[in-house]
Amino acid sequence: MSDLRQQALDYHEFPKPGKISVELTTSAETADDLSLAYSPGVAEPVREIAANPDDVYKYTAKGNLVAVITNGTAILGLGNLGPLASKPVMEGKALLFKRFANLDAIDIEVKHRTPEEFINTVANIADTFGGINLEDIKAPECFEIEKELKQRCSIPVFHDDQHGTAIVTAAGMINALDIQGKKIEEVKIVCMGAGAAAIACMELLIQCGALREKIYMLDRKGVIHTRRDDINEYKQRFANNTDQRTLQDVINGADVFVGVSGPDVLSGEDVKLMAPNPVIFACSNPDPEIKPEIAHAVRDDLIMATGRSDYPNQVNNVLCFPFIFRGALDVRATEINEEMKVAAVNAIRAIAKEPVPDSVLKASGSTSLEFGKGYIIPKPMDPRLLKKVAGAVARAAVATGVAQIDLPENYMV
């Protein structure tokens, strides 16, 4: 770990501090170039945009620009460390946008006293960008912030900790249930955690067919049930009419465990209580709710996923968020709606069932990958994600009427 720490610090410091920079896209070598780039030539696109605001997409980089915005209240699994401490994470997000979808992204860290101040700040600068990726904002404030910004902004606003996590979780979960011979509308699901990611994951699984009454959600005080008077409106959606109170109560006979909470909260003895052919997604990072070796030691019939790259079946948001924004921006979508999210789920699912290219095997350090218990979702380096996920999202945007332009000819074919 000490070696990793120093490597990470060196990576961020050298050859120059940070992970992103600004590059020029046009020539700026001569006096004539500068007269076009700035005064007097720049006045011409200014006049055109003033006359027709949509021309901002024709003459500026707005259509390929994403803002990655946070207040630093829920940085990774480290907690509320403030806006400045979140900057390496936001730069990392910008790096991923560029690397995987060739989207330019600028990180913005906002200091504020109230959620209303944060909302006003973001809404007031939103028109600069083609889309807004909210990141590392704690619950329950994140729900209010996203809801208000979606209403006030005419561009896509997407809280990746909620919806990116949910999309990849749903894609892997449905594939895992298919392999295990189970139907999503019939399974009993236990969700350990009741924050932004947990609630979004369960809501999207419901969109995909899971039954709300078969979901048992737990927070730090145990099962969320209808007789509790200490739960917010978002947890209230998952208040189950049950006498069961503990993880051990609800894990008995469960088909699915989804963990978005903290390390080592699920024991081997708990896993033994689950139904035949269970599915466990232990997604706490860097330490999962149960280590795969412990789970596999007590059950040989399970499918296991984590958020880590050193185990099979990594649940990683990079499988979706760059490509969702790519598809949304390419048709100038005004939002990222439920249909677009489900389209992304199905596109990611389908890729895992296809033969894996040699380039992906090499990049992932694998000798072979085939759809099954050890490979239920694609690897992040899979180049097919761009075309298939972005294409599916863009088509869903057009089909649901939130796109402002038609699909470009031969888009992502």
Side-chain angles (χ1 to χ4, degrees):
M1 289 301 295
S2 61
D3 287 345
L4 175 63
R5 179 180 183 276
Q6 192 57 52
Q7 288 175 23
L9 293 174
D10 290 346
Y11 178 89
H12 285 78
E13 184 178 0
F14 304 110
K16 61 190 229 180
K19 299 192 286 284
I20 59 174
S21 67
V22 175
E23 63 182 22
L24 302 183
T25 60
T26 57
S27 174
E29 302 304 316
T30 68
D32 286 344
D33 290 337
L34 297 182
S35 71
L36 295 173
Y38 204 58
S39 184
V42 74
E44 298 311 320
V46 168
R47 293 187 181 103
E48 294 297 311
I49 294 168
N52 178 18
D54 281 349
D55 277 352
V56 71
Y57 289 97
K58 184 176 181 180
Y59 296 115
T60 78
K62 173 182 169 76
N64 200 59
L65 187 62
V66 175
V68 182
I69 306 183
T70 189
N71 58 10
T73 54
I75 305 173
L76 303 174
L78 303 174
N80 185 356
L81 300 182
L84 200 59
S86 72
K87 191 169 178 66
V89 182
M90 301 307 109
E91 283 191 355
K93 202 79 172 191
L95 178 152
L96 295 174
F97 271 114
K98 189 67 174 180
R99 163 65 180 81
F100 289 103
N102 198 28
L103 284 164
D104 298 318
I106 299 294
D107 65 291
I108 299 172
E109 294 77 33
V110 177
K111 183 187 294 184
H112 66 87
R113 290 173 296 180
T114 66
E116 290 74 20
E117 283 188 354
F118 181 89
I119 291 165
N120 287 334
T121 297
V122 177
N124 288 336
I125 65 173
D127 283 348
T128 302
F129 305 96
I132 291 173
N133 183 104
L134 299 173
E135 193 79 14
D136 287 0
I137 302 170
K138 70 178 182 178
E141 288 89 343
C142 63
F143 301 116
E144 175 194 353
I145 286 169
E146 186 190 42
K147 179 182 177 181
E148 289 298 317
L149 286 173
K150 287 177 72 172
Q151 291 177 348
R152 292 178 59 176
C153 299
S154 60
I155 58 173
V157 177
F158 185 83
H159 184 201
D160 186 48
D161 297 314
Q162 290 184 60
H163 310 301
T165 303
I167 288 165
V168 181
T169 297
M173 181 62 65
I174 297 170
N175 275 353
L177 291 173
D178 285 349
I179 294 167
Q180 298 289 56
K182 299 189 177 191
K183 296 180 180 179
I184 191 169
E185 63 270 19
E186 296 176 354
V187 296
K188 176 184 177 181
I189 300 172
V190 172
C191 179
M192 176 59 76
I199 289 171
C201 284
M202 295 303 107
E203 291 288 2
L204 188 55
L205 286 178
I206 291 169
Q207 287 278 331
C208 294
L211 298 182
R212 191 178 295 272
E213 60 267 25
K214 289 181 174 289
I215 296 174
Y216 296 81
M217 184 177 285
L218 297 94
D219 61 11
R220 289 182 177 87
K221 296 183 179 180
V223 174
I224 295 172
H225 57 83
T226 52
R227 287 181 286 282
R228 281 181 57 176
D229 58 5
D230 61 344
I231 51 179
N232 60 42
E233 61 180 293
Y234 307 102
K235 293 182 184 182
Q236 187 67 47
R237 299 175 195 166
F238 293 94
N240 208 301
N241 185 16
T242 179
D243 292 328
Q244 297 179 320
R245 296 292 182 262
T246 68
L247 173 61
Q248 287 68 38
D249 290 337
V250 295
I251 201 68
N252 191 16
D255 301 282
V256 170
F257 173 88
V258 176
V260 274
S261 53
D264 304 321
V265 297
L266 186 70
S267 70
E269 293 303 311
D270 297 331
V271 175
K272 289 180 182 179
L273 297 174
M274 295 182 73
N277 301 316
V279 176
I280 296 175
F281 277 37
C283 297
S284 174
N285 254 328
D287 300 311
E289 282 77 6
I290 184 171
K291 293 180 175 60
E293 48 269 32
I294 295 174
H296 286 297
V298 297
R299 296 291 292 259
D300 60 6
D301 61 343
L302 65 80
I303 291 179
M304 178 91 198
T306 71
R308 292 176 54 142
S309 60
D310 53 348
Y311 291 113
N313 300 327
Q314 183 188 18
V315 179
N316 190 328
N317 289 19
V318 78
L319 290 171
C320 73
F321 75 81
F323 318 116
I324 288 173
F325 273 93
R326 179 79 276 165
L329 266 63
D330 285 346
V331 294
R332 297 184 198 167
T334 56
E335 63 175 297
I336 296 171
N337 60 28
E338 295 304 311
E339 292 85 353
M340 294 161 74
K341 295 173 195 173
V342 173
V345 169
N346 290 328
I348 294 168
R349 285 185 59 208
I351 293 171
K353 297 180 179 181
E354 298 175 359
V356 180
D358 289 340
S359 62
V360 177
L361 294 177
K362 183 177 180 181
S364 64
S366 304
T367 55
S368 66
L369 288 171
E370 185 175 345
F371 183 63
K373 289 186 175 183
Y375 177 66
I376 59 174
I377 41 180
K379 295 292 185 180
M381 308 299 280
D382 196 317
R384 298 171 296 179
L385 287 162
L386 174 58
K387 287 186 177 181
K388 299 205 171 184
V389 179
V393 168
R395 287 189 289 274
V398 172
T400 55
V402 299
Q404 297 183 88
I405 60 173
D406 292 332
L407 276 174
E409 188 175 354
N410 296 320
Y411 182 72
M412 293 295 177
V413 174

